[in-house]
Amino acid sequence: MEKVTLNVQGMSCDHCVKAVEGSVGELNGVSTVKVNLKANTVDVEYNNQEVSLDKIKETIDDQGYDVE
């Protein structure tokens, strides 16, 4: 399992948390997703044999947030 902390801009409320955690959490290979609004971060634990980091970033971007 890989663990990564992504810096994500544009998240400001519970809806943002649900959108990111829900969409990333549905990806095959993702085991945990945790949004920290105060730090503007998303912690993801995933199996890199099943899903790529680029796919995770793309999924967050598709929700309307900027991944750094």
Side-chain angles (χ1 to χ4, degrees):
M1 289 296 229
E2 300 284 325
K3 292 182 181 179
V4 65
T5 299
L6 301 171
N7 291 311
V8 180
Q9 300 302 313
M11 301 182 300
S12 61
C13 63
D14 286 340
H15 172 76
C16 302
V17 173
K18 290 177 184 172
V20 172
E21 289 182 352
S23 61
V24 174
E26 289 178 356
L27 294 172
N28 288 334
V30 173
S31 60
T32 61
V33 184
K34 182 66 178 155
V35 171
N36 183 328
L37 284 179
K38 289 183 181 180
N40 292 315
T41 60
V42 178
D43 295 321
V44 184
E45 187 173 348
Y46 65 100
N47 181 337
N48 64 359
Q49 301 297 313
E50 295 182 49
V51 65
S52 68
L53 181 57
D54 285 341
K55 179 63 176 173
I56 293 168
K57 289 179 177 180
E58 177 183 314
T59 301
I60 295 170
D61 187 64
D62 287 349
Q63 294 299 313
Y65 307 105
D66 296 323
V67 181
E68 295 178 358

